[in-house]
Amino acid sequence: MMMRRLFALCFLLFCMLSLSACSSMEPSPYETVNDNPDLRLSFSHILWYQPDQAYFTLENNGTDPYSFGDYYTIEKKVGGRWVVVPYSKNGSAWVDISHVVMPGRSREIVISLSAHHDPLSPGTYRMVNEFRNDETKEVSVLAAEFIVGKKS
């Protein structure tokens, strides 16, 4: 009888901690992504010998150049919704630089999965970035999904 109560108490404590961990993650601020037919952001690969770097490809199929910065957001799918992965408690810094992808061209984007974030647990993630049309000044939000598996 005492074992059952102890087990029930431990289970309840585990559930409370799990819920508090999920609730501390903010929901994604982006309701709509990938709605610009001129741009396509896709996940390319994660190098097996350098697992903290993820590679993406940005394609500009439009007629205007687009600019973007090094700043990006990592989001994780939790319970069917996207939540923002918080930045590392050790802090992070970004280079304030602008990259341009010209019409009809593509560009590789390499991000660090460990420089700004604590190690990612297994799950489905997406990298989110904003891209600005240099002619119209309109901003498009693009996202590309990737999966982090268990380390062997």
Side-chain angles (χ1 to χ4, degrees):
M1 183 74 156
M2 183 65 137
M3 259 329 227
R4 277 192 213 168
R5 285 186 182 171
L6 182 60
F7 177 75
L9 182 62
C10 288
F11 180 74
L12 182 63
L13 181 61
F14 172 77
C15 289
M16 288 173 40
L17 287 174
S18 296
L19 288 175
S20 68
C22 289
S23 65
S24 68
M25 297 179 87
E26 295 180 28
S28 173
Y30 304 108
E31 291 183 25
T32 304
V33 297
N34 301 330
D35 64 345
N36 184 332
D38 293 342
L39 296 177
R40 182 172 182 262
L41 181 65
S42 58
F43 171 71
S44 178
H45 63 281
I46 295 176
L47 293 180
W48 65 269
Y49 57 86
Q50 204 167 17
D52 72 328
Q53 289 187 336
Y55 292 76
F56 298 85
T57 302
L58 173 66
E59 298 173 47
N60 181 354
N61 298 310
T63 57
D64 296 332
Y66 282 84
S67 298
F68 64 98
D70 280 345
Y71 179 82
Y72 59 87
T73 303
I74 298 290
E75 297 178 350
K76 183 176 185 179
K77 191 175 262 188
V78 177
R81 64 186 182 100
W82 292 105
V83 294
V84 176
V85 175
Y87 291 104
S88 172
K89 293 177 181 135
N90 297 331
S92 60
W94 299 94
V95 176
D96 193 11
I97 189 169
S98 180
H99 305 281
V100 177
V101 62
M102 299 303 288
R105 305 292 301 263
S106 63
R107 183 179 186 114
E108 183 177 68
I109 300 172
V110 182
I111 67 167
S112 172
L113 300 176
S114 63
H116 307 290
H117 301 87
D118 292 328
L120 300 178
S121 60
T124 301
Y125 292 85
R126 69 181 183 178
M127 186 272 283
V128 183
N129 205 338
E130 296 180 355
F131 300 87
R132 186 176 63 101
N133 183 308
D134 290 348
E135 300 297 323
T136 66
K137 308 303 182 211
E138 290 181 28
V139 174
S140 299
V141 178
L142 301 182
E145 294 184 24
F146 60 98
I147 295 175
V148 172
K150 292 181 181 179
K151 294 186 179 177
S152 49

